[in-house]
Amino acid sequence: MNQEIEEICSELALLPDDANRKSLLSRSPQLVNMQVVMQLDDAVRAAVRVDVRKALGLAETALTIARELGEGEALALASRAKANALWFIGDCKSAVALFQEAGALFERAGNMNEVARTLSSSIQSFALLGEYDNAFAAAERARRIFAELGESWRNARLDINVANILHRQNRYAEALAAYDRAYRELLPHRDSEAIGVALHNMAVCLIALDDFNRAFETYRRVRDFCQQHEMPLLMLQADYNVAFLYYLQGDYTKALELLRSTRDACLKSGDTYHLGLCDLDQSEIYLELGLIEEAAEMAQKSFEHFERLGMGFECARSLTNLAIAVSLRYDQTRGLELFARAKDIVRHENNQVWPNIIDLYRALVLLEQGELTEVRDLCFSTAEFFRSVQMPGKYVLSLLLLVRVCLRTKEIDQAVRHCSEVSRVLESVDEPILVYQAHFLWGQLHETLSQPEHAYNSYQKSRSALETLRSSLQREELKIGFMRNRLEVYSRLIQLCLDRDLSESSAEEAFLYVEAAKSRTLRDLILTGSHSNLRKSLETEADRHVLGLRKELNWYYHRIEREQLSQDKVSLESIDALKLEARTREHELTRLLLEAPNSANLGAALRNSSTAALEEIRHALGPEGTLLEYFSIGDRVFAAVLTSKTVQIIPLAPSSVILQRLRLLQFQFSKFRLDRGYVTRFHETLLKATQAHLRALYDDLIAPVENLLQTADLVIVPFGPLHSLPFQALFNGQSYLIDKFNVCYEPSASILAHTRGKAANCSGPSLVLGVDDARTPFIKKEIQAVAAVVPEPLVLFGSDATEHALREYGHRSRLVHIASHGYFRQDNPMFSSIKLADSYLTLYDLYHMSLPVDLLTLSGCVTGLNVVADGDELFGLTRGLLYAGARSLLLSLWEVDDQSTSEIMEEFYTGLKRLQRKADALRAAMLNARERYPHPYYWAPFKLIGRVLA
């Protein structure tokens, strides 16, 4: 194609419709000839793996010219060119119609070579639509024609397309052999496009055959090959599949990073099919990470992509993920509607397993809505199906749901019968989450039958299975969560201990169950350190072996689930083989963990952190410390009071009463967001109203245990909504709690004990970062005041206060002080953030930082707020900072006043300079501030967490 014609064709390709192209062609009649159509056909093949939008435009141009030319072969060439571009972006229905039209035109012209080429090209579209008979028929006829014409090279390309059908039918070994045969036969022909595709598809097969090391290696070859031969779209597909490999191995961080970049590239290139796959996989990962809003958004996007492409099975998977996310957001009615839509789609796809999986999800949602009759019918149906196809995990889940229905309807004999069947099946199924649920339901049955000792024994077995589950790498049986609060077993054990008697031994046992349930994941994080740091310090062969086994196990667990939930017929033999491979690695991992030497960092990290013994907690408290730990059972709040000598558990007010009082207090604090004139004018009224609410909370939370608080140091372990309460400001009508005690906080008593000896920088600079704006005019004054009193100040202000600076200097600093806005995300705490000069530092970012500082202060707004999940798991900046290595934290609970904060910070660090303990220094600073600012809003917004009493 000469340059002038090429330029005109490129211009034609950019035009929006046929009318515009005809208009331009009328001014360039030299383009209306067969030679140009042939050249455009070649251009489409070259462009389709580089820029699919350009390829479509060129194909449309070829069609316009062919129609003007009125020749059958020209129209056939152009139709096939457009079909090739369409299937590449996933529009297989349109592609099939065009392939068939092109084939008929070539055959009418007697050009059998082109007939065979068109048949070969149509195979992939037929396969993606599930029309396998048509795909094989097209392949067989094309093979005969190529053989008659002596086109061995064409038959090598045909092998790739036939292998694609075999792969879709789970005939992976046959497919791999066909790809490999095609690859070797194509090498002498230097067919770079076909060689790249063959390599790519070999890697896909190796994933299915669980040869993940060869799969990674093959994808690297694909990527290098595509880069060398300028095939960016095929390279894009390779990137997607590498991201999928990381996902299968449980490395969500790498998977998400690669999926995001691949998704952006898909948007630019117009590759709708892989764009949909990226969104679908991201929704899966977000569901597993508990990021429900993000999961819903990605599932919705993936559904829209696949709906446009007419891909039913992928639509159903997307809708199922969306339904799960919507149900977890408590919009259960819409969740049920989405499940029903997904089920209709998979029925039309002739899928066996997915309709029953969806029915199980529906039953879980309907159970929460109290639709017991429908739940019963669904579970009987799913139980029978999963039993018949030998899927024991889902069979047991169906039965466990039936037990829960029977417990609600008081059909105890039926519940016992179903539970007995569950126990029988679980004798040969090693799935701790199901064992945990079964024993828990046995405990509930025994309680219903007034058998407290039997209930206690069942709950103990359930707890033991839960501990096993925590160390197991297996994923959830169902993403929606069979029991949203797995920690209910601890509540039942605590209640049974309290019902038994009020002796010291019962109180101690109950306290240890409280601790076992609190902040378990956070405790594990703090003790094991960040995964990135661990990977950098894999010192032993055992560490490397353990890491490899973890990846392999994640791989097999994902593969088992995908095999069970695949589009095609379930292969019991394949599932059994995968389970055998997984069990082999589980046993090997267990052996390694038991035998791992002390030097094996990762082996140690894989073991669960244990609940601290009472003596460890008491030792961390010291003789002058009292630990006051709150928890709830049902609607009743309790307080456990632990001193160096005693443990006592005291019942308090109902949770609902305390929550209402807390809301009223927060409403009072919210008034300070109004203009300063209002606050100044009604200062006395605001103070009295706030004190009234603080007194009510004092009466609920402190007065019942006041006689037990006899030491100077008070460590508060809140629960749920109490994490946002400034205990130091609780008011008895005459004085505040801080007047009598040094008040500090911990996520759990065990974290207090375990972090007592936590390593931190004992020397180094004091890094002071400040980012100001119009709302915070005193920040510059604050960091100047702080810098004047801290040792070895390194001050970075404004544009210098960057994330890079925090990473570079933070890991070797003794103190870090950040004066900036904090942003609390109630909807998604993962993205609560600290504003820096060049970025917003989120929980996710903190997970990838090393900040082993003695004290880290965030003096800005709401930096200490967290979303509190089941088990008092804190999700917010607190979690990220402790995980990053900080030994102690000073954080804020609400939108602080700029000026009073500056003064408190200066006095706090001055106290530290006089070698006061952190708790003493903060108390003195708060008391001094109260003299100038009587309202607690100004003097009580800060909380100390971590090692602050030493």
Side-chain angles (χ1 to χ4, degrees), residues 80 103 106 111-123 138-139 141-147 149 154 158:
R80 187 177 66 194
F106 280 129
N111 193 336
M112 297 310 294
N113 184 41
E114 295 298 336
V115 170
R117 287 181 62 189
T118 306
L119 287 166
S120 180
S121 297
S122 71
I123 291 170
R141 188 172 181 220
R143 190 179 299 283
R144 286 199 307 270
I145 295 171
F146 285 141
L149 297 174
R154 294 289 182 192
L158 180 64

Side-chain angles (χ1 to χ4, degrees), residues 647-666:
V647 179
Q648 295 189 55
I649 295 179
I650 310 297
L652 305 177
S655 301
S656 54
V657 171
I658 292 173
L659 182 59
Q660 179 59 21
R661 298 200 200 287
L662 185 58
R663 286 174 179 155
L664 291 171
L665 175 66
Q666 290 168 339

Side-chain angles (χ1 to χ4, degrees), residues 259-271:
L259 281 173
R260 287 189 189 108
S261 63
T262 305
R263 186 179 182 279
D264 290 343
C266 287
L267 278 169
K268 291 177 183 176
S269 68
D271 186 347

Side-chain angles (χ1 to χ4, degrees), residues 867-929:
V867 167
V868 185
D870 293 338
D872 275 315
E873 292 292 353
L874 303 181
F875 289 93
L877 297 174
T878 302
R879 187 182 191 85
L881 293 167
L882 290 172
Y883 182 59
R887 182 155 61 178
S888 57
L889 308 173
L890 179 57
L891 308 172
S892 62
L893 289 168
W894 54 78
E895 293 185 11
V896 296
D897 176 73
D898 204 17
Q899 183 168 346
S900 61
T901 294
S902 175
E903 294 171 17
I904 289 172
M905 290 297 116
E906 182 178 3
E907 293 184 9
F908 169 67
Y909 285 111
T910 300
L912 287 185
K913 193 174 183 180
R914 293 197 297 264
L915 301 180
Q916 284 185 329
R917 299 182 308 169
K918 300 180 187 77
D920 295 322
L922 182 61
R923 179 170 180 256
M926 285 185 174
L927 292 175
N928 288 337

